[in-house]
């Protein structure tokens, strides 16, 4: 690591979920990206564990979603329990953890350390980026004269390597691959010059100035293997009794995570001091009291903590569009909605590709302003939701189930990202220019995830798995049923326009040039796959490369697969099978433009506004 | 590695797919198992690549199936092409690569090195077994006086560490985790005393004496990235033209594997000498000639070779039930049916658990004789199939498609394991004592794979994913619709019998004893999951452990899941939803006993015959 360059395109501070997500946005890039963290290594236990579908889509785009699903526990049901008049507890209802329009599981749970492990291994495999542990910033300057010069490195950060990392509570469990490299570096100072700095260094962020703090309650949080007679211990359970409230969330292996309201743990002590006196046995006693008459023992306690719930949002997410803050460093809230890690991942995914677009494709720096414009409203909405949700949770007897259920379901829509719509900007068009569209495809919304079948090999794939995090925009074409001659003809006219266009898009006429395009096209047609052949499609839609031959991974059918059913992609997008449209999708999976096939002007002017420079760099 | 014990329970020679499968059969075991290989490391490219569903079930039982699926290419279609009268080629048909009764994809392709990588990483994570490279046996003795003493180490093997590994064609690509350990060991000799030796050292096995060799043709085999106008290059394609035959199989990334009949490569040279003169350009020329008028270039050639196809089966698979041979060391054949690696994995999986049962659970050594009895007939059937299949392939013009199709489909059933039935033995009962059964569950057949839903948490799982390779037998109970009182009552009588029985089975009354049981029970009921509760089931069926509490992973419903449809397990097993039966399943997923719930005597006498000693060893 001593030989790493001190001139970096992006310096990421903090290697938790946000920082590692940002780093994974540079897979396959030749930019110089470094990531440092003051800890000794990845967290061993505890902390966040819930991954929502939207975060799994991000991890899919890094190519590691399936590996994480394989280890995680999939959450399928939530149950509500109340005290009954006889002094016991009774189950009020079982709610499926399912959102029909999502078309796939909503969440899995796995401890944060394993998720970080997968992201670090991915960097190792697919990039030259390596986490530098035990390093923390001690000084930062910004040269204001150079802020607007795209080639400058206006930020100077002094970094110190400490002998021991911070956070003694978070022990370093050496990973296999690191077993041989446990060497304590000497204490060294280093000066790093950066084009961009991304602060992902948590709630006690060194970079952020704290703003707007408020508190509404204390909570304990613990993860153990329960030995219990309570029947719903392997479902998400919310238990309201006269002794307090417990929420339990099953995890991988035999683990279960428990949130216990602190008043229930020690009703006579609301002060911070009492909180510090808590022992893990107190938590167990409280759980026992609430869950009586069911028995409860702990086989193994993996992690526990007690803390105040602070709900706050920073009022600035960026400074000079050179220094950015993401994750816990700009918003904190209760862990109950399971949103901390997910929102951090989404923040970092949002800014990651934009930095890459500016540094690698020389897009205008104006797009960086959209980071705060898009993520701050989400953080604010999240805090409001969390505040409401906690209130419902704190009620000792949820007399009105419908009310709780309503808050929960509202949260589900919110937490999947289905409820998020980014405002119009340079990156999000204002208009939808397609008459035949019935919802689904709207600028600012996320592209729905749907299964399609590869035209060439018949393999089904979900579209967000196809949208790898390589920093590319996608022009996704829905040409309708191309076994109809007029539909194929309309599509191929579009292909001919693409081939003629000045966009930095991968098309066949690019013979001999760079292959690092900023844009690729994906066609999702609605014909039966067997009724059309790859050669029927204009070659700009499945481009020939002088190096690799035809591209077989750009044309898909919304058709029945051999083993995995029908994806019904058109229906999920609100399209009829005889309708067509074009959608421009950002590198992070959100929709920029929706237009008719003929309205190529909308596409041209969208990309012109981003000012990307065409790929002209020499091949390595 | 110098500190490894020289007294081992099992010595595995060869760390290819067979040897690594055998080693993975000892995950979680405290036996002393070593695995050596004369190569420098895992193969870099080429060799085998097709994984059938039955092999994926084995890899699932090791916990690495999903990781491999994630990297592999899934094969969905096969196409046949013939020359047409106009001098071109035309597509005769597209065949879905699907077997409806299998209920899942039949095969994926991924190069052998990656599969080996996953198996090695799994050993690293979940066992103390580590592959010892560059070590080869140079001498072996067996003490015949000690062969029948279960506690003896009758086999003595002298092992030499060579400075450079063998097989110069197979370069060692250092894996990440091994980067720091590239040290050339000094040349050392070592004497290993083993209870059992398993020879998985390939076609040129040091241990095996070669037997029964015959040849019927030469073949070339190569893997490259094709740049071609041939439209079916991402499907499996068989192309018969007047210039010869090509079979192409798509692989992960952009790779495609080509089998080209050698006469087509060089029609004037049938001798071995000519074979040695071949260049990769000759293969490309031959492919071009056969596939004319389509164009063909190679972007990157990952691997190629030309060889004779030897079809042979050794006449002994074991000696004194102490030394066993598996994989290529006992059968070789053409690679076209994609069976080499798959049969090797199945061989090793078959002997692996039996050695564990003898060494760990002290089963009678008689069960070891079933290895040859079960696997030799499979090898012979495979050779016969391969011979037929190659003949079809060699025909220059497949005038009769139906014939080829028939052979292909016959092969599909054979290659999935659906067509394999092990003969009656100590491990396979002769009778099926269930009147209501309509096929599916038959002793000697593999338990069908089906999806079930966990009673406690609602998570769907395929049964072979549940059957982890931990050396345990499973008593799988199908009690029918247990929301009917009489059905639940019959099941719970069975549970009460289990609790009373002397079997080494995990049941609740085992308080304080060892938890390393030889048998576990799994219940798959046909009631709606919401209509029954875990506590309705006899506790022997979801045992309480004083250490871990209730077991939530033993009771499943054949019910609709929230996100993955209905598994229709009863239907796939040929059971009505109001019928019941019990199935004893071996650690390798094959069925030993099928009987009525009342016929507990059949179960007792089956296990009594194996003579396992009850787990009485002290806890670690």
């Amino acid at each position: 690591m001593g030989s790493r360059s001190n001139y970096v395109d992006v310096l990421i501070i903090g290697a938790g979920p946000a920082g590692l997500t940002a780093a994974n946005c540079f897979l396959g890039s030749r930019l110089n990206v470094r990531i440092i963290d003051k800890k000794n290594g990845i967290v061993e236990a505890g902390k966040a564990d819930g991954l929502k579908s939207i975060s799994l889509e991000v991890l899919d785009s890094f190519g590691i979603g399936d590996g994480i699903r394989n280890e995680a526990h999939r959450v399928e049901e939530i149950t509500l329990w109340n005290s009954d008049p006889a002094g016991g507890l009774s189950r009020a209802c079982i709610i499926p953890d399912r959102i029909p329009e999502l078309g796939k599981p909503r969440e899995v749970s796995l401890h944060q350390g394993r998720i970080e492990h997968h992201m670090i291994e991915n960097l190792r495999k697919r990039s030259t980026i390596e986490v530098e542990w035990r390093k923390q910033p001690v000084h930062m300057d910004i040269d204001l004269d150079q802020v607007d010069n795209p080639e400058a490195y206006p930020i100077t950060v002094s970094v110190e390597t400490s002998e021991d990392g911070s956070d003694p509570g978070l022990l370093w469990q050496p990973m296999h691959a690191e077993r041989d490299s446990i060497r304590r570096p000497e204490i060294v100072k280093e000066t790093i010059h950066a084009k961009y700095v991304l602060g992902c260094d948590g709630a006690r962020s060194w970079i952020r100035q704290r703003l707007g703090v408020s508190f509404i309650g204390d909570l304990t949080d613990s993860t153990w293997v329960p030995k219990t007679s309570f029947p719903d211990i392997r479902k998400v359970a919310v238990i309201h009794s006269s002794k307090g409230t417990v929420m339990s969330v099953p995890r991988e292996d035999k683990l279960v995570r428990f949130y216990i309201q602190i008043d229930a743990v020690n009703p006579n002590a609301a002060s911070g001091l009492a909180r510090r006196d808590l022992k893990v046995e107190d938590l167990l006693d409280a759980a026992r009291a609430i869950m009586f008459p069911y028995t409860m023992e702990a086989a193994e306690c993996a992690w526990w903590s007690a803390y105040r719930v602070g709900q706050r949002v920073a009022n600035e997410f960026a400074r000079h569009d050179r220094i950015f803050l993401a994750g816990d460093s700009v918003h904190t809230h209760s862990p109950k909605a399971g949103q901390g890690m997910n929102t951090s991942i989404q923040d970092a995914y949002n800014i990651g590709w934009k930095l890459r677009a500016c540094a690698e494709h020389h897009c205008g720096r104006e797009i960086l302003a959209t980071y705060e414009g898009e993520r701050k409203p989400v953080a604010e909405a999240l805090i409001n939701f969390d505040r409401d949700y906690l209130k419902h949770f704190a009620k000792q007897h949820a007399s009105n189930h419908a009310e709780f259920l309503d808050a929960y379901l509202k949260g589900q829509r919110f937490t999947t990202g289905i409820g998020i719509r980014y405002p119009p900007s340079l990156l999000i068009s204002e208009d939808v220019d397609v008459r035949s569209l019935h919802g689904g495809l709207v600028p600012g919304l996320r592209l729905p995830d749907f299964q399609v079948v590869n035209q060439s090999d018949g393999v089904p794939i979900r579209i967000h798995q196809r949208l790898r995090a390589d920093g590319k925009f996608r022009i996704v074409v829905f040409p309708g049923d191309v076994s109809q001659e007029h539909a194929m003809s309309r599509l191929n006219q579009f292909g001919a326009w693409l081939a003629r266009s000045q966009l930095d898009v991968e098309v066949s006429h690019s013979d001999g040039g760079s292959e690092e395009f900023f844009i690729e096209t994906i066609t999702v047609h609605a014909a039966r796959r067997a009724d059309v052949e790859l050669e029927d499609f204009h070659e700009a839609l499945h481009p020939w490369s002088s190096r690799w031959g035809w591209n077989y991974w750009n044309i898909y059918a919304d058709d029945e697969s051999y083993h995995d059913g029908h994806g019904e992609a058109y229906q999920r997008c609100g399209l009829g099978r005889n309708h067509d449209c074009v959608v421009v999708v950002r590198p992070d999976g959100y929709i920029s433009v929706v237009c008719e096939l003929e309205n190529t002007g909308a596409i041209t002017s969208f990309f012109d506004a981003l000012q990307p420079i065409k790929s002209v760099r020499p091949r390595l």
Side-chain angles (χ1 to χ4, degrees), chain A:
Chain A
M1 296 190 211
S3 64
R4 289 185 175 275
S5 169
N6 292 335
Y7 284 82
V8 303
D9 293 288
V10 181
L11 173 64
I12 301 167
I13 296 169
L20 292 171
T21 297
N24 273 274
C25 287
F26 294 90
L27 297 177
S29 163
R30 282 192 235 134
L31 295 176
N32 188 1
V33 176
R34 288 176 65 178
I35 175 168
I36 65 172
D37 194 292
K38 62 181 177 177
K39 295 198 303 297
N40 278 322
I42 58 176
V43 302
E44 193 189 352
K47 293 210 156 184
D49 50 22
L51 276 175
K52 311 298 175 192
S53 59
I54 191 174
S55 300
L56 282 164
E57 285 171 11
V58 170
L59 298 167
D60 276 337
S61 81
F62 298 154
I64 56 177
D66 284 343
I68 287 172
R69 284 188 193 89
N70 197 24
E71 281 185 34
H73 174 72
R74 199 162 104 185
V75 178
E76 298 278 344
E77 286 175 328
I78 302 100
T79 63
L80 300 185
W81 288 70
N82 280 327
S83 20
D84 58 30
L89 288 174
S90 59
R91 189 196 284 142
C93 61
I94 299 184
I95 311 162
D97 195 350
R98 176 177 50 176
I99 301 185
E101 65 254 58
L102 193 61
K104 58 182 176 178
R106 193 183 69 90
E107 65 178 328
V108 302
S109 62
L110 178 66
H111 92 70
Q112 182 179 332
R114 288 303 302 166
I115 298 161
E116 293 175 359
H117 166 86
H118 280 281
M119 292 210 263
I120 290 171
E121 284 298 299
N122 208 40
L123 290 175
R124 222 185 271 270
K125 262 193 233 166
R126 300 182 185 168
S127 81
T128 56
I129 305 169
E130 192 172 354
V131 179
E132 302 168 46
W133 298 110
R134 287 183 293 275
K135 290 193 180 177
Q136 57 184 330
V138 292
H139 190 76
M140 180 164 69
D141 275 329
I142 181 158
D143 181 349
L144 293 179
D145 293 340
Q146 294 294 321
V147 156
D148 294 323
N149 173 4
E151 300 307 318
Y153 297 81
I155 313 159
T156 306
V157 182
S158 300
V159 170
E160 225 174 65
T161 305
S162 58
E163 197 157 353
D164 273 308
S166 69
D167 291 351
L170 307 170
L171 300 175
W172 184 25
Q173 189 169 38
M175 291 153 51
H176 264 108
E178 291 172 347
R179 193 173 274 170
D180 296 308
S181 58
I182 307 180
R183 290 181 224 98
R184 287 283 148 85
E186 288 169 31
I187 304 175
V188 286
K189 279 200 183 182
E190 185 186 7
T191 303
I192 299 176
H193 306 273
K195 282 188 178 168
Y196 297 99
V197 168
L198 183 53
C200 302
D201 47 348
R204 283 163 294 173
S205 168
W206 178 85
I207 299 182
R208 174 186 44 83
Q209 302 190 5
R210 296 186 189 196
L211 297 159
V213 177
S214 68
F215 297 101
I216 69 152
D218 289 353
L219 201 68
T220 69
D221 187 353
S222 50
T223 302
W224 72 63
V225 177
K227 296 191 289 181
T228 179
S229 60
F230 182 66
D232 284 351
I233 200 69
R234 294 301 303 170
K235 307 176 177 76
V236 173
V238 178
I239 305 151
H240 287 102
S241 91
S242 56
K243 296 291 195 312
T245 306
V246 166
M247 179 171 177
S248 69
V249 180
R251 274 260 302 268
E252 75 275 14
D253 299 330
K254 300 180 168 69
L255 293 168
V256 178
R257 184 168 180 177
F258 292 87
Y259 303 107
I260 306 168
Q261 210 72 1
I262 202 160
D263 297 355
V265 176
N266 187 346
N268 300 322
S271 74
L273 187 70
R275 196 153 39 91
R276 242 170 278 135
D277 291 340
L278 273 181
K279 291 188 293 293
V280 67
E281 287 74 22
D282 299 327
L283 270 62
L284 202 54
D285 285 344
R288 241 183 240 124
I290 296 167
M291 295 171 75
F292 179 85
Y294 294 106
T295 62
M296 171 62 75
E297 298 284 337
E300 223 167 63
C301 184
W303 177 81
W304 75 281
S305 114
Y307 48 80
R308 322 214 87 173
V309 178
Q311 288 158 322
R312 56 197 175 197
V313 178
N315 54 6
E316 264 189 289
F317 277 43
R319 185 72 52 91
H320 309 300
D321 287 334
R322 285 288 185 173
I323 303 169
F324 301 85
L325 297 166
D328 290 351
S329 71
V330 275
H331 45 74
T332 64
H333 39 81
S334 88
K336 267 186 193 158
Q339 277 301 297
M341 178 163 59
N342 293 282
T343 308
S344 297
I345 288 173
Q346 299 302 321
D347 286 348
Y349 201 55
N350 187 293
I351 186 62
W353 75 265
K354 291 173 186 172
L355 292 177
R356 185 169 178 172
C358 288
E360 192 162 81
H361 293 282
H362 307 282
C363 283
R365 293 189 354 95
E366 296 75 17
I367 67 170
L368 298 174
T370 63
Y371 172 60
E372 183 173 307
E374 290 176 348
R375 297 306 300 172
K376 198 175 162 202
V378 171
E380 284 163 351
L382 172 63
I383 298 302
N384 289 334
F385 164 73
D386 189 48
R387 202 169 278 143
D388 280 0
Y389 192 62
L390 264 199
K391 272 185 211 149
H392 282 287
F393 189 81
K395 284 183 188 166
Q396 292 210 335
H397 194 293
S399 53
N400 190 346
H401 276 303
E403 213 174 277
F404 184 92
L405 208 59
D406 187 59
Y408 187 83
L409 293 176
K410 189 177 143 200
Q412 279 193 329
R413 290 186 54 84
F414 181 81
T415 59
T416 52
I418 285 184
I420 294 174
R421 181 173 176 186
Y422 290 149
S425 71
L426 198 59
L427 292 173
I428 303 288
S429 288
E430 222 155 325
D431 316 310
V432 179
D433 156 42
V434 181
R435 280 174 305 272
S436 55
L437 204 60
H438 310 290
L441 301 178
V442 178
L445 290 186
R446 205 167 161 67
L447 183 71
D449 200 16
F450 46 75
Q451 176 182 288
V452 288
V453 181
N454 184 301
Q455 175 67 35
S456 303
D457 60 25
V459 175
I461 191 170
R462 283 184 296 114
I463 194 76
H464 278 283
Q465 281 186 312
R466 172 63 185 76
L467 304 182
R468 283 298 171 100
D470 51 11
K472 282 189 169 62
F473 271 83
R474 271 90 185 188
I475 297 176
V476 183
V477 191
F478 294 88
D481 179 358
V482 289
S483 66
Q484 313 279 325
E485 210 179 303
H486 68 276
M488 185 62 97
S489 155
R490 273 169 65 87
L491 172 63
N492 284 340
Q493 280 167 35
F494 182 82
W497 167 77
L498 261 183
R500 283 194 315 268
S501 81
Q502 294 300 310
L503 299 177
D504 188 15
V505 61
E506 187 190 3
V507 289
S508 299
H509 63 83
S510 61
D511 219 32
S514 160
E515 291 186 354
E516 291 169 347
F517 302 94
F518 190 44
I519 310 168
E520 67 171 355
T521 62
I522 293 176
T523 299
V524 178
H525 69 76
R528 282 185 57 226
R529 187 172 148 261
D531 290 346
V532 288
E533 296 280 345
L534 195 69
E535 61 181 9
D536 299 338
F537 293 83
H538 191 285
E539 63 174 30
L541 302 170
H542 57 112
W544 175 267
S545 140
S546 54
R547 185 166 183 205
W548 297 112
W550 289 114
N551 188 330
Y552 300 101
W553 296 273
N554 285 12
I555 302 207
Y556 297 88
D558 178 22
D559 195 4
E560 188 81 24
S561 66
Y562 288 115
H563 299 99
D564 297 273
H566 198 302
E568 300 292 1
Y570 272 60
Q571 193 188 321
R572 295 181 65 77
C573 292
L575 276 170
R577 302 187 75 79
N578 287 314
H579 293 144
D580 57 30
C581 74
V582 182
V583 180
V584 176
V585 179
R586 312 195 316 188
D588 62 355
Y590 283 81
I591 297 173
S592 291
V593 179
V594 181
C595 65
E596 304 265 5
L597 258 74
E598 291 83 3
N599 190 0
T600 53
I603 298 170
T604 309
S605 47
F606 172 77
F607 283 110
D608 283 351
L610 304 187
Q611 314 162 30
I613 293 179
K614 269 217 170 192
S615 312
V616 289
R617 281 150 300 154
R619 301 289 307 277
L620 272 183

